Amino acid sequence: MARYGMALDYKSCINCKACESACKEENGILLGADKHRIWVGVKDIEGIFPDLSISSSGFEPSQCQQCDNAPCQTVCPTNATYYDDNGVVRVNPEQCILCTYCMEACPYDARYIDDRTMTVDKCNFCSDTRLINGETTTACQATCPTKVRIFGDLDDPESEISLVLRARDHHSMKEHLGTKPKLFYLT
Amino acid sequence: MKTELSRRRFLQGTVALSIVGATAAATALAKTEHKSKSKIVDFGLTKTQWSDKLEEIPTLCEMCVNKCAAIARVEDGVLTKLNPNPLFPKSRNMLCARGNAGIQALEDPDRLKYPLIRVGERGEGKFKRVTWDEANEYIKDKMVKIIDEEKDNRSTIGYCAGEGMAEHTYASFMGDKIGSLNYVNHGSICLATTIAGYTLTLGGYGQADLENADYVIMAGANRAEAIVTPDTMDMFKRTKGRGLKMVVVDPRFTNTAAHADTWLPIEVGTDLAFVLAMTHVVMTEERYNKRFCEENLSDFEAYKKHIIDKNYTPEWAQAITGIKADDIRETARDFMAHAPRAIYYQGRRTAWSLQDYQLRRAQAIFSAMGGGIDKKGGIIFGKKLPLGEHSIPSPMYDNALERIEKSKAASIGNSGSWIAWRNTIIDGTAPYPVRAFFAYKQNPMLSIPNTAKTKQMLEKMDLVVVIDTMPSDTVMMADVVLPESLYLEREDPVKSFGGAEPSIALRIPVVEARYDTKPVIEIMRDLGEKLSKPLFEISKKYDESLQEEIEERGEKEVYKEEGYDLADGYRHSQETINHHMVSSVYGEEAWKTLREKGVFYPDMSKYFKKVSANEYEYYPEHKKSYSIIKGDLNNEPYHDTCVDINEIAVLKKKFRTATKKIACALYNFEKRKGVDAMPTWRSELYKETPEGRFKFITGRHGQFTQSGSSNNALLLDLLPENYLWINQRIADAKGIKFGDTVEVRSSIGAIEIKAYPTEKIGKNVVFFIHGFGAESSELTLAHHRGANDNAIIEDVYETTFGSAAMHETIVDIRRV
């Protein structure tokens, strides 16, 4: 069984938000600024005009970090949040009771309420829209103009993502929390 | 911070926009239903589980001008997703936020659905639904009266168009068939100066080969936010120490600047001084490619003398541009050290200043001095795959007079000077009246500087016809509205895309056209059927040449042979024409491939390779067309075994200019039209910003295409409105905080907009994005959202080509 992860060549990000819109269209997420599965974080630039520090600025594409040790799963009282066989952290809307513990527990601010399904939803690597149909990429990877994302099987040593992670330095977000994210930021 | 830092902060800034959510529910309805249907089966949607019929149809995007290749996923006739089509070299397997939001454009409940005729006062927005025949009958009656009264001067019919694949279909009907010379398009509010500057200097505008460049100066061009393919994708994978060194010259710290090695904030309108000073540096220090210049630049020594005599030193430029002399020196040296793989980026929307044309000339010559022209990693011209011909006879009208604003600039071409043209109509200096106005896919009420004057012009017309997909502010001023099918519903003229990796791509309908809409070719055909005979009768009355022809050859033959049947050429379907254009050159198999795959080029099946999930190869390296201009390698006088002569570009080439060389001086242009032969700084054309006031600049955005996407629910989700960028310390002094409403006032008008205080802009400049601020009440989401820049941008234009100078407006700011 595959174990899915994503590597992000985040230096290529231009904050164009193609990923955000592709995600919404692919996964049928309701419109509204508070309803999104992925986003681009912008670091505010330091300095005063004209002496700005370019290196202090930058774009950080983000989404559910698909933790191997997911705080949102641990606190879920109904097991609505669960690990899929392929390692993707998913949500079963039938079991979600909207207690929002997961929203509080997630250190990445990655969960949001889907008013239509009444679920505290999240990114699932397009499991039910693309992967199930045999597609090998997520909507965000496919659409990205500067090709920030590499999605793939971490357990396959020959997969593109495995090769990239072996060859290049990378870090994960808030590693000290022990959440073991499966999103890797390439440096 | 403010509008864009964290997700939570973002939410705070936008919660008030409940209207987005409300309409979203409506526009996303089709999708929502599918979702809930699929929920019964599984947690989410699966296309194969509920869709009886799944199709993947290739097409081309039209959410902006780039024409990226998309694959539409259509399930049971419903468009559910637009994905990138990897086969197209130009768009490199991507679809941006706007491309993805095409579904919302299709589903937009505010779309123009039926032909309309105005019933209230012009501009009041009251229309009645009519049939196409009624609409065309109305147009015919007015046209016959006007053209008869103007004694067959067809130029009394003015017309404009925005950029698009069917622009030519429309323009040739209005210009070649109906016979009016009064055409204005987007050129003079966009890229006229840079196209002209580069073409006159290098023989072509070319394409910046950013995939292979080692060094680029991006001045004012903001490729991270104003996406241009393939430039945007090629650049940003290699910035930040990954191969492409980038200097961004811009009064604002843009998302492009965030990728720069060096950001040089420049005083607005002084770029020419910057380039001249860099030219001075490399000339006095002899850092240019001497062999290339000697072989390929005409009047180079004269230009050198000019630059040195005028004393365009970095110190001189520092006082004007605000860029330190040492930074100018370093940039110039660095550029030449990386040449020929060094580019001064040509720029796209270059309607900036009164000196813009000379700026583009200076840039082109500066780039050429490094030898990076027609050269991998420099500015290349590439190849274009030819298409078959489709020609139709067009009548000659004796009485059609020259365009009205011809004398308002040194060289006004067939696509006109929008501002000069409009102003000529309203100031009464036109040699004859322009009495009717047709607009296609352009929204001059929002896109041309000085909205009040555009309104005045439209009010003067006896007939205003607008062809569009959305009820824009210009549609509100129309007498007759003709609804065009959306790009996802129609086939457009096949297009060949040149470059190092040329290809042909096709837009075909992915869903059936909704409502009572039509593609332009059919709109023209129907108008042609209606107008041909009555307009021919008018020509018979006034056109003496026609009268003679008829006497000689008979009316029937002249009518047919001379192209007076206005609908001929428009009766074939677009598909039939495209089929002919492609198969006549490349055969039936190519046509089949193009329709099935959306893209075709010779040997595509052999060359196209998937290298990785994110990388594709379109042509093998040796098949790419980087250097296409023929030249002689004259090796003898420069025998040098240390360098590869090909690499430093010493070929003597035959450029496509008048002299076959890169033109440093254009003496004829000076002699005939008084335009400076060589780029010269004209201080009388530069306006300094008075203390306490601001120069206003405008620009584009990656989630918004001018006013065209202003009602798109998904894009407004990402960018709800435009904000005024104002320097943080200036804002503090004025007591202006983030989100406060401020008034921006110029000599021609005032707008109100929310403030975004930031250190990313200087103290004497303010900025906001173009395209917001629609007045049309029929645009539910766009109506009164944000501010319209052209309500305050003064209607000044440079006098070489009549191109708008949009960054010459001084404004005052106050908190309201």
Side-chain angles (χ1 to χ4, degrees), chain B residues 227-328:
Chain B
I227 294 171
V228 168
T229 63
D231 303 11
T232 297
M233 293 90 78
D234 287 348
M235 283 172 67
F236 296 105
K237 292 173 195 163
R238 298 174 55 239
T239 50
K240 294 181 177 251
R242 295 176 297 173
L244 174 66
K245 200 167 176 186
M246 178 162 67
V247 175
V248 168
V249 182
D250 201 306
R252 291 195 299 137
F253 187 85
T254 59
N255 285 358
T256 303
H259 276 257
D261 294 274
T262 308
W263 169 57
L264 301 174
I266 187 168
E267 287 292 329
V268 176
T270 66
D271 294 66
L272 176 58
F274 173 73
V275 182
L276 291 173
M278 288 207 302
T279 308
H280 189 276
V281 171
V282 300
M283 281 184 163
T284 51
E285 297 180 1
E286 300 211 336
R287 286 176 190 270
Y288 52 87
N289 185 330
K290 296 181 200 67
R291 292 179 183 180
F292 184 84
C293 288
E294 192 174 314
E295 293 281 23
N296 292 306
L297 271 66
S298 63
D299 299 304
F300 181 68
E301 289 304 319
Y303 188 50
K304 191 171 179 177
K305 187 171 181 305
H306 166 76
I307 295 286
I308 292 167
D309 285 355
K310 293 275 182 189
N311 210 22
Y312 292 139
T313 63
E315 282 70 21
W316 164 81
Q318 175 177 326
I320 296 169
T321 62
I323 298 175
K324 289 186 196 114
D326 283 348
D327 287 339
I328 296 174

Side-chain angles (χ1 to χ4, degrees), chain B residues 153-203:
Chain B
N153 173 15
R154 300 302 180 101
S155 295
T156 193
I157 313 294
Y159 64 108
C160 78
E163 198 280 343
M165 291 174 84
E167 178 189 344
H168 185 69
T169 306
Y170 162 84
S172 51
F173 181 80
M174 299 301 298
D176 300 327
K177 298 298 278 186
I178 289 188
S180 168
L181 296 169
N182 275 313
Y183 178 41
V184 277
N185 79 355
H186 45 90
S188 62
I189 52 167
C190 186
L191 40 59
T193 50
T194 191
I195 295 277
Y198 275 78
T199 304
L200 289 173
T201 309
L202 303 179

Side-chain angles (χ1 to χ4, degrees), chain A residues 9-37 39-45 47-54 57-59 82 90-95 103 108-112 116-117 128-130 132-133 135-137 139 141-151 160 168, chain B residues 1-2 4-8 10-11 14 20-21 24 27 31-32 35 39 42-49 56 73 80-84 92-98 100-101 103-104 223-224 227 232-233 236-237 239-240 242 251 253 255 257-263 265 324 610 612-615 702-703 713-714 717-718 727 729 759-763:
Chain A
D9 215 342
Y10 71 100
K11 282 183 187 170
S12 297
C13 180
I14 55 172
N15 191 19
C16 75
K17 297 184 168 67
C19 52
E20 286 186 33
S21 56
C23 175
K24 283 212 169 186
E25 292 290 2
E26 184 71 71
N27 297 299
I29 296 164
L30 287 175
L31 296 177
D34 56 342
K35 316 283 181 213
H36 52 213
R37 292 183 176 185
W39 64 94
V40 179
V42 178
K43 276 193 244 163
D44 205 8
I45 193 157
I48 58 170
F49 183 95
D51 300 310
L52 301 180
S53 160
I54 295 179
S57 146
F59 309 119
Y82 67 101
R90 296 189 61 177
V91 185
N92 181 347
E94 306 290 317
Q95 281 168 251
M103 289 180 89
Y108 305 103
D109 197 14
R111 314 256 337 210
Y112 71 99
R116 195 188 47 224
T117 58
D128 53 344
T129 49
R130 294 175 74 103
I132 196 166
N133 297 311
E135 290 188 51
T136 54
T137 63
Q141 173 180 359
T143 213
C144 179
T146 55
K147 298 302 171 205
V148 165
R149 291 169 165 85
I150 300 168
F151 172 78
E160 204 179 335
R168 293 179 59 182
Chain B
M1 281 228 4
K2 282 87 191 183
E4 46 188 22
L5 174 62
S6 73
R7 182 173 175 194
R8 286 198 199 283
F10 180 56
L11 303 185
T14 54
V20 175
T27 50
K31 194 156 201 166
T32 310
K35 284 300 233 182
K39 282 280 176 246
D42 190 29
F43 301 152
L45 147 102
T46 59
K47 60 188 179 191
T48 46
Q49 278 173 308
E56 299 218 306
R73 192 173 70 202
T80 57
K81 182 76 176 69
L82 290 160
N83 285 307
R92 307 254 199 274
N93 188 34
M94 80 95 180
L95 213 54
C96 76
R98 293 166 296 170
N100 276 279
I103 299 176
Q104 301 301 328
R223 286 297 80 93
I227 294 171
T232 297
M233 293 90 78
F236 296 105
K237 292 173 195 163
T239 50
K240 294 181 177 251
R242 295 176 297 173
F253 187 85
N255 285 358
H259 276 257
D261 294 274
T262 308
W263 169 57
K324 289 186 196 114
K610 183 170 181 169
S612 73
N614 286 332
E615 294 160 291
Q703 291 114 43
L714 182 63
D717 219 25
L718 302 170
N727 180 272
R729 283 162 289 162
E759 284 297 340
K760 295 190 288 188
I761 194 164
K763 288 181 165 183

Side-chain angles (χ1 to χ4, degrees), chain B residues 363-374:
Chain B
Q363 291 177 193
I365 300 169
F366 181 77
S367 280
M369 285 166 65
I373 309 294
D374 189 45

Side-chain angles (χ1 to χ4, degrees), chain B residues 649-668:
Chain B
V650 294
L651 277 174
K652 181 178 179 178
K653 298 192 172 193
K654 293 186 178 71
F655 288 93
R656 290 170 188 153
T657 55
T659 56
K660 305 281 177 231
K661 287 189 171 197
I662 290 168
C664 291
L666 295 167
Y667 294 116
N668 276 341

Side-chain angles (χ1 to χ4, degrees), chain B residues 116-129 138 475-481 776-778:
Chain B
L116 302 169
I117 290 179
R118 173 170 66 86
V119 290
E121 291 300 307
R122 186 176 284 154
E124 203 184 350
K126 285 188 186 157
F127 296 94
K128 66 172 178 190
R129 177 179 170 178
Y138 182 99
V475 164
M476 288 297 107
M477 294 295 294
D479 301 326
V480 184
V481 181
S776 169
S777 54
E778 298 304 307

Side-chain angles (χ1 to χ4, degrees), chain A residues 126-178:
Chain A
C126 294
S127 283
D128 53 344
T129 49
R130 294 175 74 103
L131 300 188
I132 196 166
N133 297 311
E135 290 188 51
T136 54
T137 63
T138 59
C140 54
Q141 173 180 359
T143 213
C144 179
T146 55
K147 298 302 171 205
V148 165
R149 291 169 165 85
I150 300 168
F151 172 78
D153 182 4
L154 298 166
D155 280 352
D156 173 3
E158 293 310 311
S159 70
E160 204 179 335
I161 186 170
S162 296
L163 295 172
V164 166
L165 291 178
R166 278 208 297 282
R168 293 179 59 182
D169 287 340
H170 53 83
H171 65 270
S172 291
M173 284 207 198
K174 301 185 183 174
E175 277 168 282
H176 62 283
L177 296 176

